[in-house]
Amino acid sequence: MGNNNRVCPNCGHKMHQQFICLQHCSCGISWLKTEGVFERTPDMVFALERRTVGKKVKQVPVIRYRGEQP
């Protein structure tokens, strides 16, 4: 089955996948593989960043904040 059927610890509803390793719930809780469970704030922006791992270029989800310089 895998981690695609993750359940929200806050409300018990099924979480929906936005990116690989990043899932959201409608109640404002998110789960990121590297961070774990956290609450979203209005200034968060979720983006895919390209990183070179060995010889491959992989897209990794990252959290950025509005007003922050890239």
Side-chain angles (χ1 to χ4, degrees):
M1 245 184 345
N3 288 337
N4 292 351
N5 299 330
R6 188 166 293 279
V7 175
C8 176
N10 190 28
C11 66
H13 286 98
K14 189 173 103 174
M15 297 180 90
H16 298 281
Q17 182 171 333
Q18 183 176 4
F19 301 129
I20 294 173
C21 301
L22 175 63
Q23 296 186 356
H24 290 315
C25 181
S26 58
C27 71
I29 299 293
S30 293
W31 176 85
L32 186 62
K33 186 176 183 180
T34 57
E35 303 278 325
V37 177
F38 60 94
E39 190 170 344
R40 292 192 306 274
T41 59
D43 64 339
M44 284 183 174
V45 178
F46 298 92
L48 286 175
E49 189 175 89
R50 291 176 183 260
R51 291 191 183 157
T52 304
V53 179
K55 294 183 179 181
K56 294 182 180 179
V57 177
K58 293 189 174 187
Q59 290 183 319
V60 180
V62 293
I63 302 171
R64 295 190 182 133
Y65 296 91
R66 293 189 204 277
E68 184 181 286
Q69 293 296 324

